[in-house]
Amino acid sequence: MAATGHRAPSYDAAMQAAVLYEPGRRLEVVDVQLEGPRRGEVRVRIAAAGVCHSDHHYMKGDLPTPLPVVLGHEGAGIVEEVGEGVTGVVPGDHVVLLWRTSCGRCELCSTGRPALCAVSAQQRSSGFLDDGTSRLSRDGVEIRHLLGVSCFAEQAVVPGNAVLKIPDDVPMAIAALAGCSVMTGVGAAVNTARVAPGSSVLVIGAGGVGLSVIMGAVLSGAAQVIAVDINPGKLEMARGLGATDTVDASATDPVRAVREMTRGGADYAFEVIGLPEAISQAVRSLRPGGTAVAVGVARVGAVAEINALDLVLQEKTLKGSLYGSTRPQQDFPRLFELYRRGRLPLDRLLSREFRLDEVNEAYDAMLAGTTARSVLLPGASTGGGGARSQR
Ligand code: COD
Ligand code: ZN
């Protein structure tokens, strides 16, 4: 099963992983074969993996990815083995996994926008590691890596620049959430929008990522933080994380409500669902001169309606935010320091723990809206529908 022309792998063993074979089908938690790291790669024992909505986009087929694939892009773990030439981590290090890496050389990397690195984007979307091959297979059939991470598994082999060492005292479940939802959401507020102290902020969609935008807005000193969702439970979680006002969009027109609450429109509006209508709502909810930030990725081909005249006459800005415009080496240590000092209440984001083989139930819970964010822990289910419940 090793690719031809490569010397025998250092490691080649079966492990449990959640595989997507076809859009629309449940994930299959099965034994797959994992080959050890090649040059520049790292093998990580996964300690926790976050249940993010984005994986569900791949499950439904709204976002394309080569199949079959081991899903999971939000994770943390412990380094087991490093390939030749890897610097920065050694076995035993605790690491967060990065689903977007940077080559460090292209124009976007060298102008301070590593999240937009085109080299990395191409590599990550191929489903292969950087040498164009996979370390995953089952019965001799190649399986792809999702975004170079594939952490819905007991272990992962990832590119060396997709791991970042973290302090040993950060709980692994918290580190996993930091790897995607928290960085994506907090970064959208802090890095992309640079929310100003005293401003008004609207967040449409209070899931794991939207709640992280709320935390980022609070951290930035926003005076008014309005959460919009169609699930009253999510609005309650939003209040728990510092939202000052909430709007149930299933009962009220959110644009009208927000314009009233802010007396003319919000300074910033974040769309955190991935719906073109919500992008349009975000722009319409702005005050003149305000900035809307699209965080959610709509399905391929979706088009959002924007009033072109308003954009100019009211000098509104609409921009996107990918992975919180993060510069990982700088931002992750800061996130963990803010968490340790109680400035980012990440524990409140974590609602529930499931075992890896309960991954489909974890997604059912996410879709039912009963969890803010849940994580998968390695190991088989002991029954009882969830390893731990906090709410
Ligand atoms: N109006 C208001 N709220 C709504 C509506 C609506 N019409 N429809 C759904 N919602 C709410 C839901 O009730 C839920 O609370 C929330 O929107 C969505 O939350 P989750 O927990 O299901 O989703 P998240 O937070 O895990 O993910 C949201 C994203 C927008 C990040 C995701 O869907 C996405 O677009 N991913 C692709 C973008 C990407 O790759 N991001 C980086 C990796 S995550
Ligand atoms: Zn994610």
Side-chain angles (χ1 to χ4, degrees):
M1 101 200 12
T4 50
H6 180 73
R7 63 190 169 78
S10 52
Y11 174 95
D12 195 356
M15 63 158 188
Q16 260 204 338
V19 184
L20 176 69
Y21 279 95
E22 244 179 74
R25 255 169 67 179
R26 306 275 278 179
L27 295 185
E28 292 184 32
V29 181
V30 290
D31 270 356
V32 305
Q33 205 69 18
L34 179 72
E35 198 189 285
R38 296 186 186 177
R39 187 174 173 77
E41 298 169 358
V42 177
R43 179 163 60 88
V44 177
R45 183 163 296 280
I46 303 300
V51 176
C52 179
H53 203 125
S54 299
D55 294 282
H56 194 259
H57 291 308
Y58 297 110
M59 291 180 214
K60 279 203 309 183
D62 286 349
L63 289 178
T65 192
L67 301 172
V69 63
V70 171
L71 290 187
H73 65 280
E74 176 174 287
I78 299 178
V79 173
E80 291 260 317
E81 183 186 355
V82 299
E84 258 177 78
V86 170
T87 53
V89 292
V90 294
D93 280 351
H94 291 204
V95 290
V96 59
L97 302 175
L98 310 178
W99 57 265
R100 199 69 192 250
T101 51
S102 50
C103 74
R105 289 180 300 279
C106 71
E107 197 201 337
L108 288 156
C109 284
S110 48
T111 51
R113 312 192 77 172
L116 299 182
C117 173
V119 179
S120 153
Q122 199 283 325
Q123 285 168 337
R124 297 293 152 264
S125 59
S126 71
F128 291 126
L129 298 186
D130 296 354
D131 70 352
T133 64
S134 170
R135 304 293 158 268
L136 295 161
S137 63
R138 184 174 181 225
D139 300 331
V141 176
E142 179 182 79
I143 297 178
R144 304 288 184 113
H145 299 253
L146 182 79
L147 302 174
V149 175
S150 287
C151 60
F152 288 171
E154 290 176 294
Q155 299 193 51
V157 170
V158 302
N161 61 355
V163 292
L164 192 74
K165 186 171 162 34
I166 60 170
D168 286 358
D169 63 350
V170 176
M172 284 297 192
I174 296 296
L177 301 192
C180 178
S181 55
V182 174
M183 185 52 80
T184 300
V186 172
V190 174
N191 294 336
T192 314
R194 297 182 184 276
V195 166
S199 59
S200 53
V201 174
L202 162 65
V203 180
I204 308 178
V209 181
L211 291 169
S212 299
V213 177
I214 290 172
M215 284 191 271
V218 171
L219 190 67
S220 302
Q224 190 176 21
V225 181
I226 307 170
V228 171
D229 206 291
I230 47 175
N231 178 334
K234 294 297 178 73
L235 294 176
E236 199 185 313
M237 293 175 202
R239 275 190 289 272
L241 287 167
T244 54
D245 307 80
T246 56
V247 178
D248 181 348
S250 66
T252 310
D253 171 13
V255 177
R256 183 186 296 182
V258 170
R259 295 189 68 83
E260 274 173 24
M261 285 170 168
T262 54
R263 294 191 211 90
D267 292 305
Y268 305 93
F270 295 84
E271 193 283 343
V272 206
I273 312 166
L275 288 178
E277 309 82 67
I279 295 177
S280 170
Q281 287 173 344
V283 176
R284 285 190 285 133
S285 302
L286 291 175
R287 65 185 293 171
T291 299
V293 180
V295 179
V297 170
R299 68 178 189 287
V300 175
V303 176
E305 240 179 60
I306 307 296
N307 183 322
L309 195 61
D310 263 11
L311 212 56
V312 178
L313 296 187
Q314 300 193 12
E315 282 201 354
K316 291 180 176 178
T317 301
L318 169 60
K319 63 202 300 197
S321 177
L322 183 69
Y323 208 176
S325 312
T326 181
R327 289 137 303 164
Q329 316 286 340
Q330 170 187 308
D331 293 338
F332 279 99
R334 289 182 181 181
L335 271 192
F336 293 126
E337 195 53 24
L338 286 162
Y339 166 71
R340 281 157 138 184
R341 292 179 181 275
R343 306 282 307 276
L344 264 184
L346 303 184
D347 295 311
R348 280 190 233 155
L349 195 60
L350 181 62
S351 309
R352 194 163 163 188
E353 293 173 350
F354 290 88
R355 297 285 161 191
L356 176 57
D357 63 357
E358 297 170 324
V359 60
N360 290 308
E361 289 74 19
Y363 272 95
D364 291 342
M366 184 202 74
L367 294 174
T370 53
T371 53
R373 197 50 141 210
S374 58
V375 289
L376 304 177
L377 303 176
S381 164
T382 49
R388 184 175 68 98
S389 226
Q390 286 189 339
R391 301 199 161 90

